[in-house]
Short mmCIF file of all heavy atoms in Angstrom, two decimals:
data_model
loop_
_atom_site.label_atom_id
_atom_site.label_comp_id
_atom_site.label_asym_id
_atom_site.label_seq_id
_atom_site.Cartn_x
_atom_site.Cartn_y
_atom_site.Cartn_z
N MET X 4 0.83 -1.23 0.02
CA MET X 4 0.00 0.00 -0.01
C MET X 4 0.87 1.26 -0.01
O MET X 4 0.52 2.28 -0.61
CB MET X 4 -0.94 0.03 1.25
CG MET X 4 -2.01 -1.02 1.22
SD MET X 4 -3.32 -0.70 -0.01
CE MET X 4 -2.83 -1.91 -1.27
N SER X 5 1.97 1.18 0.69
CA SER X 5 2.87 2.37 0.74
C SER X 5 3.45 2.67 -0.66
O SER X 5 3.59 3.80 -1.05
CB SER X 5 4.02 2.15 1.71
OG SER X 5 4.92 1.13 1.25
N ILE X 6 3.70 1.62 -1.45
CA ILE X 6 4.22 1.79 -2.82
C ILE X 6 3.10 2.36 -3.68
O ILE X 6 3.38 3.26 -4.51
CB ILE X 6 4.75 0.47 -3.40
CG1 ILE X 6 5.88 -0.05 -2.52
CG2 ILE X 6 5.19 0.64 -4.83
CD1 ILE X 6 6.26 -1.48 -2.84
N GLN X 7 1.87 1.87 -3.54
CA GLN X 7 0.83 2.38 -4.36
C GLN X 7 0.50 3.84 -4.12
O GLN X 7 0.18 4.57 -5.05
CB GLN X 7 -0.47 1.56 -4.08
CG GLN X 7 -0.57 0.27 -4.87
CD GLN X 7 -1.98 -0.31 -4.82
OE1 GLN X 7 -2.59 -0.41 -3.76
NE2 GLN X 7 -2.49 -0.66 -5.95
N GLY X 8 0.66 4.26 -2.88
CA GLY X 8 0.32 5.66 -2.59
C GLY X 8 1.50 6.55 -2.28
O GLY X 8 1.81 7.48 -3.01
N MET X 9 2.24 6.21 -1.20
CA MET X 9 3.24 7.15 -0.67
C MET X 9 4.38 7.40 -1.63
O MET X 9 4.84 8.56 -1.79
CB MET X 9 3.83 6.64 0.63
CG MET X 9 2.83 6.18 1.67
SD MET X 9 1.58 7.38 2.12
CE MET X 9 0.16 6.68 1.32
N PHE X 10 4.89 6.33 -2.29
CA PHE X 10 6.06 6.53 -3.16
C PHE X 10 5.68 7.21 -4.51
O PHE X 10 6.51 7.49 -5.31
CB PHE X 10 6.72 5.20 -3.44
CG PHE X 10 7.67 4.76 -2.40
CD1 PHE X 10 7.37 3.67 -1.58
CD2 PHE X 10 8.84 5.42 -2.17
CE1 PHE X 10 8.25 3.24 -0.60
CE2 PHE X 10 9.74 5.00 -1.19
CZ PHE X 10 9.45 3.93 -0.42
N LYS X 11 4.38 7.41 -4.68
CA LYS X 11 3.96 8.08 -5.92
C LYS X 11 3.68 9.55 -5.73
O LYS X 11 3.19 10.21 -6.62
CB LYS X 11 2.68 7.36 -6.45
CG LYS X 11 3.00 5.97 -7.01
CD LYS X 11 1.80 5.36 -7.66
CE LYS X 11 2.14 4.01 -8.28
NZ LYS X 11 0.97 3.38 -8.93
N VAL X 12 3.94 10.05 -4.53
CA VAL X 12 3.78 11.49 -4.29
C VAL X 12 5.07 12.17 -4.71
O VAL X 12 6.03 12.21 -3.94
CB VAL X 12 3.50 11.74 -2.76
CG1 VAL X 12 3.19 13.23 -2.56
CG2 VAL X 12 2.37 10.86 -2.28
N TYR X 13 5.09 12.69 -5.89
CA TYR X 13 6.36 13.20 -6.43
C TYR X 13 6.54 14.66 -5.94
O TYR X 13 6.57 15.59 -6.72
CB TYR X 13 6.32 13.18 -7.94
CG TYR X 13 6.23 11.75 -8.47
CD1 TYR X 13 5.44 11.51 -9.58
CD2 TYR X 13 6.87 10.69 -7.83
CE1 TYR X 13 5.30 10.20 -10.06
CE2 TYR X 13 6.72 9.40 -8.31
CZ TYR X 13 5.96 9.18 -9.45
OH TYR X 13 5.87 7.86 -9.92
N ALA X 14 6.62 14.81 -4.65
CA ALA X 14 6.87 16.11 -4.05
C ALA X 14 8.16 16.00 -3.25
O ALA X 14 8.76 14.91 -3.15
CB ALA X 14 5.71 16.51 -3.12
N ILE X 15 8.63 17.10 -2.70
CA ILE X 15 9.90 17.09 -2.01
C ILE X 15 9.91 16.10 -0.85
O ILE X 15 8.92 15.95 -0.12
CB ILE X 15 10.19 18.54 -1.49
CG1 ILE X 15 11.63 18.61 -0.95
CG2 ILE X 15 9.21 18.99 -0.46
CD1 ILE X 15 12.68 18.50 -1.99
N ILE X 16 10.99 15.39 -0.74
CA ILE X 16 11.25 14.33 0.26
C ILE X 16 10.10 13.33 0.47
O ILE X 16 9.81 12.87 1.53
CB ILE X 16 11.73 14.89 1.63
CG1 ILE X 16 10.84 16.01 2.17
CG2 ILE X 16 13.13 15.40 1.57
CD1 ILE X 16 9.62 15.63 2.79
N SER X 17 9.37 12.99 -0.62
CA SER X 17 8.26 12.08 -0.51
C SER X 17 8.73 10.71 -0.04
O SER X 17 7.92 9.96 0.55
CB SER X 17 7.52 11.96 -1.84
OG SER X 17 8.41 11.50 -2.86
N PHE X 18 10.01 10.34 -0.30
CA PHE X 18 10.48 9.05 0.10
C PHE X 18 10.46 8.90 1.60
O PHE X 18 10.45 7.78 2.15
CB PHE X 18 11.91 8.87 -0.45
CG PHE X 18 12.94 9.65 0.25
CD1 PHE X 18 13.65 9.14 1.33
CD2 PHE X 18 13.22 10.94 -0.19
CE1 PHE X 18 14.59 9.91 2.00
CE2 PHE X 18 14.19 11.70 0.49
CZ PHE X 18 14.90 11.20 1.57
N ALA X 19 10.48 9.99 2.34
CA ALA X 19 10.55 9.95 3.82
C ALA X 19 9.20 9.59 4.44
O ALA X 19 9.13 9.11 5.58
CB ALA X 19 11.03 11.30 4.40
N VAL X 20 8.09 9.80 3.67
CA VAL X 20 6.77 9.56 4.22
C VAL X 20 6.54 8.13 4.65
O VAL X 20 6.21 7.86 5.83
CB VAL X 20 5.69 10.04 3.26
CG1 VAL X 20 4.28 9.65 3.75
CG2 VAL X 20 5.75 11.56 3.06
N PRO X 21 6.78 7.14 3.78
CA PRO X 21 6.55 5.78 4.23
C PRO X 21 7.55 5.31 5.28
O PRO X 21 7.23 4.48 6.16
CB PRO X 21 6.73 4.93 2.94
CG PRO X 21 7.54 5.80 2.01
CD PRO X 21 7.09 7.20 2.33
N PHE X 22 8.77 5.88 5.29
CA PHE X 22 9.74 5.52 6.32
C PHE X 22 9.31 6.03 7.69
O PHE X 22 9.58 5.38 8.70
CB PHE X 22 11.12 6.11 5.99
CG PHE X 22 11.86 5.29 4.93
CD1 PHE X 22 11.76 5.61 3.59
CD2 PHE X 22 12.63 4.20 5.28
CE1 PHE X 22 12.44 4.85 2.62
CE2 PHE X 22 13.33 3.43 4.36
CZ PHE X 22 13.21 3.73 3.01
N LEU X 23 8.67 7.19 7.71
CA LEU X 23 8.16 7.70 9.01
C LEU X 23 6.96 6.90 9.48
O LEU X 23 6.86 6.55 10.67
CB LEU X 23 7.76 9.17 8.84
CG LEU X 23 8.94 10.16 8.84
CD1 LEU X 23 8.43 11.59 8.52
CD2 LEU X 23 9.63 10.22 10.19
N ILE X 24 6.05 6.62 8.56
CA ILE X 24 4.82 5.88 8.94
C ILE X 24 5.20 4.48 9.47
O ILE X 24 4.60 4.04 10.46
CB ILE X 24 3.93 5.71 7.70
CG1 ILE X 24 3.37 7.12 7.28
CG2 ILE X 24 2.72 4.78 8.01
CD1 ILE X 24 2.57 7.07 5.97
N LEU X 25 6.19 3.85 8.90
CA LEU X 25 6.62 2.52 9.33
C LEU X 25 7.88 2.59 10.14
O LEU X 25 8.65 1.62 10.22
CB LEU X 25 6.80 1.61 8.08
CG LEU X 25 5.56 1.44 7.20
CD1 LEU X 25 5.93 0.82 5.92
CD2 LEU X 25 4.48 0.63 7.89
N GLY X 26 8.13 3.75 10.75
CA GLY X 26 9.38 4.01 11.44
C GLY X 26 9.67 3.06 12.53
O GLY X 26 10.82 2.58 12.71
N LEU X 27 8.70 2.69 13.42
CA LEU X 27 8.98 1.84 14.56
C LEU X 27 9.41 0.47 14.13
O LEU X 27 10.46 -0.02 14.59
CB LEU X 27 7.74 1.84 15.46
CG LEU X 27 7.87 0.95 16.72
CD1 LEU X 27 9.01 1.43 17.58
CD2 LEU X 27 6.55 0.88 17.47
N PRO X 28 8.67 -0.25 13.28
CA PRO X 28 9.17 -1.58 12.89
C PRO X 28 10.45 -1.52 12.12
O PRO X 28 11.30 -2.43 12.29
CB PRO X 28 8.02 -2.17 12.02
CG PRO X 28 7.16 -0.99 11.68
CD PRO X 28 7.33 -0.02 12.76
N ILE X 29 10.68 -0.51 11.29
CA ILE X 29 11.93 -0.40 10.55
C ILE X 29 13.11 -0.17 11.53
O ILE X 29 14.18 -0.83 11.45
CB ILE X 29 11.86 0.81 9.54
CG1 ILE X 29 10.90 0.47 8.39
CG2 ILE X 29 13.26 1.10 9.00
CD1 ILE X 29 10.66 1.61 7.44
N PHE X 30 12.93 0.73 12.48
CA PHE X 30 13.97 1.03 13.48
C PHE X 30 14.31 -0.21 14.33
O PHE X 30 15.48 -0.57 14.48
CB PHE X 30 13.53 2.15 14.39
CG PHE X 30 14.49 2.56 15.43
CD1 PHE X 30 15.50 3.41 15.19
CD2 PHE X 30 14.37 1.99 16.73
CE1 PHE X 30 16.40 3.78 16.22
CE2 PHE X 30 15.30 2.33 17.71
CZ PHE X 30 16.27 3.24 17.47
N ASP X 31 13.28 -0.88 14.78
CA ASP X 31 13.47 -2.06 15.62
C ASP X 31 14.20 -3.18 14.85
O ASP X 31 15.13 -3.83 15.39
CB ASP X 31 12.14 -2.57 16.14
CG ASP X 31 12.28 -3.70 17.13
OD1 ASP X 31 13.12 -3.58 18.06
OD2 ASP X 31 11.60 -4.71 17.00
N THR X 32 13.81 -3.41 13.62
CA THR X 32 14.41 -4.49 12.82
C THR X 32 15.90 -4.12 12.49
O THR X 32 16.75 -4.96 12.56
CB THR X 32 13.62 -4.67 11.48
OG1 THR X 32 12.29 -5.00 11.80
CG2 THR X 32 14.23 -5.75 10.65
N ALA X 33 16.13 -2.85 12.11
CA ALA X 33 17.50 -2.47 11.79
C ALA X 33 18.46 -2.67 12.95
O ALA X 33 19.55 -3.20 12.78
CB ALA X 33 17.51 -0.97 11.35
N PHE X 34 18.01 -2.31 14.14
CA PHE X 34 18.88 -2.45 15.29
C PHE X 34 18.94 -3.90 15.80
O PHE X 34 19.95 -4.28 16.37
CB PHE X 34 18.45 -1.50 16.39
CG PHE X 34 18.97 -0.13 16.24
CD1 PHE X 34 18.20 0.84 15.61
CD2 PHE X 34 20.25 0.19 16.63
CE1 PHE X 34 18.71 2.12 15.42
CE2 PHE X 34 20.77 1.46 16.42
CZ PHE X 34 20.01 2.40 15.83
N ALA X 35 17.90 -4.68 15.54
CA ALA X 35 17.95 -6.08 15.88
C ALA X 35 19.03 -6.75 15.04
O ALA X 35 19.86 -7.55 15.53
CB ALA X 35 16.57 -6.76 15.66
N PHE X 36 19.05 -6.47 13.73
CA PHE X 36 20.05 -7.03 12.83
C PHE X 36 21.45 -6.55 13.20
O PHE X 36 22.40 -7.33 13.23
CB PHE X 36 19.72 -6.69 11.38
CG PHE X 36 18.71 -7.61 10.77
CD1 PHE X 36 17.68 -8.10 11.50
CD2 PHE X 36 18.76 -7.89 9.40
CE1 PHE X 36 16.73 -8.96 10.96
CE2 PHE X 36 17.83 -8.76 8.83
CZ PHE X 36 16.81 -9.31 9.61
N THR X 37 21.58 -5.25 13.51
CA THR X 37 22.89 -4.69 13.82
C THR X 37 23.42 -5.33 15.15
O THR X 37 24.57 -5.67 15.23
CB THR X 37 22.77 -3.16 14.03
OG1 THR X 37 22.26 -2.59 12.84
CG2 THR X 37 24.16 -2.56 14.35
N ARG X 38 22.53 -5.46 16.10
CA ARG X 38 22.93 -6.02 17.42
C ARG X 38 23.38 -7.49 17.25
O ARG X 38 24.40 -7.85 17.85
CB ARG X 38 21.70 -5.95 18.36
CG ARG X 38 21.96 -6.54 19.73
CD ARG X 38 20.72 -6.42 20.57
NE ARG X 38 19.60 -7.25 20.09
CZ ARG X 38 18.49 -6.74 19.53
NH1 ARG X 38 18.35 -5.45 19.43
NH2 ARG X 38 17.53 -7.56 19.11
N ARG X 39 22.67 -8.24 16.47
CA ARG X 39 23.03 -9.64 16.32
C ARG X 39 24.31 -9.81 15.54
O ARG X 39 25.15 -10.66 15.85
CB ARG X 39 21.86 -10.38 15.57
CG ARG X 39 20.64 -10.44 16.43
CD ARG X 39 19.41 -10.80 15.61
NE ARG X 39 18.19 -10.75 16.41
CZ ARG X 39 16.95 -10.84 15.88
NH1 ARG X 39 16.83 -11.03 14.59
NH2 ARG X 39 15.90 -10.78 16.67
#
């Protein structure tokens, strides 16, 4: 759904929108992998 909508907003820094919306799971996963 984020690809269908968020990544198609061709405005300034639109790529940051889905990263913010899904920020908690992305942050937790990134640090889980880094920690391991």
Side-chain angles (χ1 to χ4, degrees):
M4 292 290 102
S5 68
I6 298 169
Q7 276 195 311
M9 311 306 109
F10 276 111
K11 290 185 177 180
V12 187
Y13 300 141
I15 189 70
I16 48 79
S17 60
F18 73 92
V20 173
F22 281 94
L23 282 173
I24 294 174
L25 302 168
L27 181 60
I29 290 174
F30 179 86
D31 185 47
T32 302
F34 277 96
F36 277 34
T37 304
R38 180 180 65 251
R39 293 164 186 171

